[in-house]
Amino acid sequence: MTAFIIAAALLLAAALAILLPPLWRAPPPSAGADRREANLAVFRDQLAELDRERDDGTLGAADAEQARAELQRRLLDEVEAQPATPATRGGGRRTALFLLLAIPLAAAAGYVLLGNPLALDPLQRQARITPEQIDAMIGGLAERLKKNPGDGKGWVMLARSYKVLERYPEAADAYARAGSLVDQDAGLLADYAEVLSQLHGGSLQGKAGELIARALQIDPNEPQALLLAGAAARERQDFVAAAEYWSRLLPQLEPGSDEAKTVAAAIDEARGIATARAAGGAPAGATAAGAGQLAGEVTLSGKLAGRVQPDDVVFVFARAEEGPRMPLAAMRATVADLPLNFSLDDSMALAGGRRISDFASVSVEARITRAGNASTSSGDLFGRIAGVKPGNRRLRLVIDQVQP
């Protein structure tokens, strides 16, 4: 808005600078006035000549008087033929002052009547797209890709759109269809791995880990791949590798930024744990880490036992009761492992992500899904405990509900 006003003011000033100076300056002497003065001088000379001829006796008194009368008549005719000189100085300045006030007022009034003042408001200029419109656009893209399944860029765009909407199963499917475009791009491989981790309760093992390794083969310094590789190493309790991956990431972050501080703290923590383990002692900060631990047992209600298979996947995860829906910590097992002793702690959090100990209370959930991903699906079996304080190691979690 400020830029528009400045530009409009400059244009208005330029217009006034062109129009006003000629009106403000005094007008030059008119050509008519100059000619009149010349004629008067000629008449005066002619009258003087008549007087000399009369005095010399070369011209009679009657003839001299007649010639004088003729000159006077011509003088009167000449004066009457000259137009009166207009008072342009005062009138020009009045016109200039009038234009100085009238032009800005007329421009402002014209814009108010014919323009769109609300368009100057940045908030008004922003496109207001409803969720329904977003769904319609994504649906249109999906339909177009059904007719042109070889459009890799289109599948990547669709995958990213689904990821933003947290529709992870659809995002993973779209990435899988993008083909060679994803296979040859380290950044897309890392993004695909992150989507798969969301499907598996935050776990970066299995195919997600393979994608991360492939991404680092293409670009050993790809930032997202290094971040995920460190998180995957920490998930495997390989703290030496975790510190090494994050140490390669740290120089790429802006010094002093929140991201840099978080990664630096994760590196120090991983190195401290690795050093303590190598020395055979408890890692520094173990007492604090215990405050971010949750442990207990997961069992399946007998009334639901007939609805599961031994190889159905079981996810156990902790989430913030308010805030991000991404799991703070998660583990994966199968129905065959039930009853399952579980343990969740801060070491399972993604680098840069929130941890269990960051919250006064969390919810703990166990979910059985045949689809093999942690996203909620109709027919899933689950159990949940809310209001759990970090540090509780005697939880009894029963899977006794069915997802509508």
Side-chain angles (χ1 to χ4, degrees), residues 6-46:
I6 292 174
L10 290 175
L11 289 174
L12 185 60
L16 292 173
I18 295 172
L19 293 174
L20 298 184
L23 295 171
W24 192 262
R25 290 193 295 266
S30 67
D34 292 342
R35 191 179 68 176
R36 184 170 65 252
E37 292 295 333
N39 289 340
L40 289 174
V42 171
F43 290 143
R44 284 193 293 268
D45 290 342
Q46 289 178 344

Side-chain angles (χ1 to χ4, degrees), residues 97-295:
L97 290 173
F98 173 76
L99 292 177
L100 183 62
L101 296 174
I103 289 178
L105 292 176
Y111 184 76
V112 170
L113 293 174
L114 302 177
N116 182 15
L118 291 178
L120 297 177
D121 185 353
L123 296 178
Q124 295 291 337
R125 292 201 306 267
Q126 292 178 353
R128 299 188 180 279
I129 303 177
T130 64
E132 292 74 16
Q133 290 174 315
I134 294 175
D135 289 340
M137 287 188 290
I138 293 176
L141 176 59
E143 289 298 320
R144 180 170 65 81
L145 290 173
K146 288 181 181 179
K147 299 176 183 178
N148 185 21
D151 183 3
K153 292 183 179 179
W155 285 114
V156 169
M157 184 183 301
L158 185 62
R160 286 173 168 169
S161 300
Y162 281 139
K163 181 185 175 185
V164 170
L165 297 177
E166 298 185 356
R167 295 168 60 176
Y168 299 116
E170 293 96 329
D173 180 67
Y175 267 129
R177 292 174 180 268
S180 60
L181 186 64
V182 172
D183 293 337
Q184 299 171 6
D185 189 300
L188 293 178
L189 285 169
D191 203 53
Y192 186 9
E194 184 179 352
V195 169
L196 292 179
S197 76
Q198 296 287 352
L199 290 175
H200 297 90
S203 174
L204 289 164
Q205 307 309 310
K207 186 175 181 178
E210 295 173 5
L211 294 174
I212 295 169
R214 197 185 311 167
L216 291 175
Q217 287 178 352
I218 297 173
D219 182 359
N221 293 313
E222 208 291 318
Q224 186 178 8
L226 288 172
L227 177 69
L228 296 176
R234 185 172 63 177
E235 184 182 345
R236 299 191 305 268
Q237 304 293 302
D238 186 351
F239 295 98
V240 173
E244 194 273 332
Y245 285 125
W246 292 332
S247 295
R248 287 159 54 186
L249 170 63
L250 186 59
Q252 303 182 50
L253 303 178
E254 181 181 355
S257 65
D258 291 340
E259 293 81 1
K261 292 177 181 178
T262 300
V263 171
I267 294 171
D268 291 341
E269 180 185 12
R271 285 175 175 169
I273 295 174
T275 301
R277 287 188 173 184
T287 302
Q293 185 180 29
L294 297 169

Side-chain angles (χ1 to χ4, degrees), residues 9 20-21 47 54 130 133 154 158 171 186 201 205 215 239 335 337 348 362 386 395 400:
L20 298 184
L47 288 173
R54 184 192 61 189
T130 64
Q133 290 174 315
L158 185 62
Q205 307 309 310
F239 295 98
V335 168
D337 297 321
M348 298 179 176
V362 298
L395 295 173
D400 57 359

